[in-house]
Amino acid sequence: MTDPIRDGGQAAVAVLGVALAVVHVRHVLLMSDPLLVVVEAAVPLGLSLGLVASAAWVRREGYTRRETGFVLAWVSAGVLAMLCALLWTAGHDLFDGADVVHLPYLVANNVTGGAVVGVVLGSYDVTTRRRERAYDEARTEVQRERDRFATLFEGVPSPTIHYEYVDGEPLVRDVNPAFTEVFGFTEDEAVGRSVDDLIVPPDRREEAATLNERLGERDLQVEVQRRAADGTRDFLLYTVPLSETSEHGFATYVDITEQKRREQRLQVLNRVLRHDHRNAMNVVMGHAADIVEASTEPGTGAHAEAIRSRSEDLLERSRKARSVERALGEETRERPAVDVAALVRRRAAALA
């Protein structure tokens, strides 16, 4: 997007460089001493051409109107300082009459030097301001993300902690309100202490130590029992480390006590109903068998045989349902790892 003021400021630097270069070329043409040509004319000529290049560089870097203004201010300050130095030198008679002849070139040399120093300082000023602005924006964004995360952390409905893994134990670094409500510890009481000391029952310490070794696993999910404010309860524990190399992470405890109680009640009810069903079917089958043996009428015996056959089918379905229930229970149960090679060696030794 074009900006006349910004583009005009950048063009002014280039025009200044071109004008000074013309003056320095004329100076080169008037001089015969090679050393003086290099020192008094060639070097300033190169610097003036550098001003033209710096204007192109400023444009390529995308300087804004305000940033271009900073560069022009520094260039003006540099030129003014060098001209003041030249006037001070003239006022103290530090150059002779011969130098007066070359006064326009001395002025051009001083303006060139001041302008180059101004461009350098201006570019450094803009770079520093950009760096500070980027740092402030990054810090603001980090603070904004931190605030959003804090809001999310505080609003999680399940007890959640921020832990740090230190010397084999997870230490509490922060807790959300749900944790203080469920487990009965204030934030001041919990922070800095071991999670195991706070909420792990004494008979579960060995299990907790095993889990601590797995805290580095991403998305760890396991059923645990923990001491809540109203007694021991069942939780589904989720742990998420911040990264693979970080010792920090988050753990969330989802209360599944009532769910497990309902499952246990359903299991008991299922067993009772299945037991009663099996006993009733056995009685029915027994009576049907007695009817078949005692009956002299073909029709009665056929009906009794149908009752017995149907009862056997119902008992078989009950047994299949029990097998399916056991298989599903085995799928959800966490199995330990088995060394297959060692198991085969033991079996082979037993058979030998």
Side-chain angles (χ1 to χ4, degrees):
M1 184 175 180
T2 60
D3 184 340
I5 297 179
R6 179 200 62 191
D7 296 343
Q10 296 170 0
V13 176
V15 170
L16 176 63
V18 171
L20 291 172
V22 171
V23 175
H24 296 313
V25 168
R26 291 189 60 187
H27 195 194
V28 169
L29 297 176
L30 292 175
M31 300 179 68
S32 58
D33 189 342
L35 181 60
L36 292 178
V37 168
V38 172
V39 175
E40 296 187 12
V43 171
L45 175 60
L47 293 177
S48 62
L49 295 177
L51 282 176
V52 179
S54 68
W57 180 82
V58 166
R59 185 175 183 82
R60 189 192 66 182
E61 290 297 311
Y63 277 30
T64 64
R65 176 191 298 188
R66 188 164 182 264
E67 292 171 340
T68 302
F70 290 146
V71 174
L72 291 177
W74 279 103
V75 169
S76 300
V79 171
L80 182 60
M82 294 301 290
L83 290 178
C84 288
L86 180 63
L87 291 176
W88 181 86
T89 303
H92 288 76
D93 297 327
L94 297 181
F95 57 89
D96 53 25
D99 292 325
V100 175
V101 178
H102 300 283
L103 183 60
Y105 304 113
L106 292 176
V107 172
N109 289 349
N110 281 268
V111 170
T112 301
V116 170
V117 172
V119 168
V120 172
L121 293 179
S123 299
Y124 177 79
D125 184 21
V126 170
T127 301
T128 303
R129 291 172 184 269
R130 284 185 171 184
R131 188 182 298 116
E132 291 176 351
R133 185 169 61 252
Y135 173 77
D136 291 338
E137 291 175 353
R139 183 173 57 184
T140 302
E141 182 62 25
V142 168
Q143 185 61 44
R144 188 181 298 114
E145 291 295 330
R146 185 178 301 168
D147 293 341
R148 281 199 290 259
F149 178 78
T151 301
L152 176 63
F153 180 75
E154 296 292 327
V156 174
S158 298
T160 303
I161 64 171
H162 168 208
Y163 67 83
E164 181 182 7
Y165 195 63
V166 179
D167 297 332
E169 283 192 296
L171 302 184
V172 178
R173 294 309 181 202
D174 197 7
V175 298
N176 70 342
F179 181 91
T180 62
E181 179 181 352
V182 172
F183 291 103
F185 294 98
T186 65
E187 183 176 352
D188 292 337
E189 292 172 338
V191 172
R193 296 181 60 183
S194 168
V195 180
D196 296 351
D197 294 340
L198 286 175
I199 61 176
V200 175
D203 59 337
R204 299 279 178 170
R205 297 304 293 268
E206 185 175 348
E207 174 193 86
T210 303
L211 288 178
N212 290 341
E213 297 175 357
R214 300 173 56 190
L215 286 180
E217 298 180 15
R218 183 159 295 278
D219 301 332
L220 175 64
Q221 302 179 21
V222 63
E223 289 187 15
V224 296
Q225 286 188 342
R226 294 295 182 261
R227 292 181 304 187
D230 57 353
T232 301
R233 301 183 68 84
D234 295 297
F235 294 92
L236 187 59
L237 171 62
Y238 296 88
T239 64
V240 180
L242 289 182
S243 67
E244 295 181 357
T245 58
S246 175
E247 300 296 333
H248 291 259
F250 294 90
T252 299
Y253 296 86
V254 180
D255 194 338
I256 58 173
T257 305
E258 296 303 323
Q259 176 184 342
K260 290 185 69 67
R261 288 176 181 173
R262 285 194 298 270
E263 291 176 355
Q264 291 170 356
R265 294 191 191 103
L266 289 174
Q267 289 175 358
V268 171
L269 180 61
N270 187 28
R271 293 192 189 99
V272 171
L273 291 177
R274 191 165 55 237
H275 180 266
D276 292 346
H277 174 267
R278 186 169 58 251
N279 289 343
M281 287 298 100
N282 286 330
V283 171
V284 171
M285 289 176 62
H287 285 291
D290 292 341
I291 293 174
V292 171
E293 293 177 0
S295 175
T296 58
E297 297 181 7
T300 303
H303 289 305
E305 181 62 29
I307 293 173
R308 187 182 64 81
S309 176
R310 187 57 177 166
S311 299
E312 288 181 349
D313 290 341
L314 291 175
L315 283 175
E316 181 62 23
R317 290 186 182 184
S318 178
R319 285 192 290 269
K320 288 182 178 179
R322 186 178 182 184
S323 300
V324 171
E325 181 184 2
R326 287 178 176 175
L328 293 177
E330 288 295 329
E331 289 181 0
T332 57
R333 185 180 304 168
E334 186 176 354
R335 296 186 178 93
V338 176
D339 188 342
V340 178
L343 179 61
V344 170
R345 283 195 294 269
R346 288 197 300 270
R347 292 288 186 259
L351 291 174

